[in-house]
Amino acid sequence: DVKVTQSSRYLVKRTGEKVFLECVQDMDHENMFWYRQDPGLGLRLIYFSYDVKMKEKGDIPEGYSVSREKKERFSLILESASTNQTSMYLCASSLQYNEQFFGPGTRLTVL
Amino acid sequence: AQTVTQSQPEMSVQEAETVTLSCTYDTSESDYYLFWYKQPPSRQMILVIRQEAYKQQNATENRFSVNFQKAAKSFSLKISDSQLGDAAMYFCAYRRGPPLTGANSKLTFGKGITLSVRP
């Protein structure tokens, strides 16, 4: 089975802190994605990557950056966390044209 | 840009009954893929069913089936013999078709619908 893991299920940070969310997949997938999920807004794509060191902006990239140094790992970085970044963050991966497999999510609270 | 609309935020169904979840989308493309994902409470999102736009036959997976109306840009999910474990949030999603480059791998999601199942 495909496994997508995220470094934390719950995270509490303070405003202005630098936050790293890690995602690892074990199925040699080319594509990896970061979404945020908010009530009434569904899933919105922050960034995605279709190859090592490649990244593309999604629909809401402001305030975020990403890093993909290895194929299996995709990191989401909040350079200076703000309260409006309190959300559920979901990582996903996929082969070139197959469905996406999701991680369990990280619920981030910024105080 | 493609958009996906799930107009009903919540639905409820009696156990063992059938329920249909609605989804419409907007695209100018002729080839694409559609998905239904399920997110149980506090659990990982999983794929329920997928449909290729070039296929006229509606996809089915056990108790789950879709009604794909390409001209109407409608993609509804029917759950038959509903079970308590079907209670979840369901998301409809769209992905562009070929060329199958990395940029075309991203999904556009609807806002989701919360399905509750009454025992």
Side-chain angles (χ1 to χ4, degrees):
Chain A
D1 281 349
V2 174
K3 195 165 185 182
V4 180
T5 58
Q6 295 183 229
S7 50
S8 306
R9 288 301 301 271
Y10 300 93
L11 206 54
V12 180
K13 295 292 181 180
R14 297 212 173 270
T15 301
E17 279 193 78
K18 190 169 186 175
V19 182
F20 292 87
L21 303 182
E22 302 283 333
C23 176
V24 177
Q25 49 93 4
D26 66 356
M27 283 300 292
D28 203 34
H29 285 175
E30 296 97 343
N31 307 313
M32 296 189 75
F33 309 83
W34 275 107
Y35 297 90
R36 64 177 282 175
Q37 181 179 4
D38 300 288
L41 297 178
L43 274 73
R44 294 179 291 167
L45 182 64
I46 304 171
Y47 268 97
F48 66 105
S49 168
Y50 50 88
D51 201 353
V52 176
K53 296 192 185 294
M54 301 296 290
K55 60 184 179 184
E56 292 235 1
K57 293 180 180 179
D59 301 317
I60 52 164
E62 297 78 18
Y64 303 94
S65 62
V66 290
S67 172
R68 194 168 180 200
E69 297 295 319
K70 294 184 178 181
K71 192 174 186 178
E72 67 271 18
R73 188 181 297 269
F74 191 36
S75 303
L76 180 69
I77 303 155
L78 288 66
E79 294 288 344
S80 178
S82 64
T83 55
N84 63 12
Q85 292 178 310
T86 291
S87 186
M88 171 70 85
Y89 290 88
L90 297 177
C91 175
S93 72
S94 74
L95 285 171
Q96 193 66 283
Y97 49 85
N98 287 342
E99 67 266 24
Q100 292 184 18
F101 294 86
F102 284 83
T106 295
R107 187 168 293 281
L108 173 67
T109 301
V110 183
L111 302 176
Chain B
Q2 295 80 26
T3 59
V4 177
T5 302
Q6 295 178 253
S7 55
Q8 306 154 300
E10 296 179 350
M11 285 195 75
S12 180
V13 64
Q14 189 75 35
E15 196 175 5
E17 297 293 309
T18 295
V19 64
T20 299
L21 310 183
S22 301
C23 173
T24 59
Y25 58 94
D26 188 25
T27 184
S28 58
E29 298 170 344
S30 59
D31 199 3
Y32 48 86
Y33 302 85
L34 296 165
F35 305 84
W36 277 98
Y37 279 87
K38 171 185 177 181
Q39 186 181 39
S42 301
R43 293 177 61 188
Q44 275 169 258
M45 181 129 32
I46 57 172
L47 178 71
V48 175
I49 200 165
R50 63 179 277 170
Q51 174 80 42
E52 291 85 353
Y54 64 85
K55 290 185 178 179
Q56 294 193 347
Q57 187 171 7
N58 288 324
T60 62
E61 285 288 340
N62 300 314
R63 298 183 294 108
F64 299 87
S65 61
V66 299
N67 184 4
F68 173 49
Q69 303 285 333
K70 191 172 185 179
K73 297 180 182 175
S74 170
F75 182 60
S76 59
L77 175 69
K78 186 172 83 171
I79 306 173
S80 303
D81 185 26
S82 296
Q83 300 175 0
L84 295 178
D86 295 332
M89 181 162 259
Y90 288 83
F91 292 92
C92 178
Y94 169 101
R95 192 185 72 213
R96 296 176 70 180
L100 298 172
T101 61
N104 276 8
S105 63
K106 63 179 183 176
L107 294 175
T108 300
F109 284 87
K111 294 183 179 182
I113 178 170
T114 300
L115 176 68
S116 58
V117 181
R118 305 185 301 274

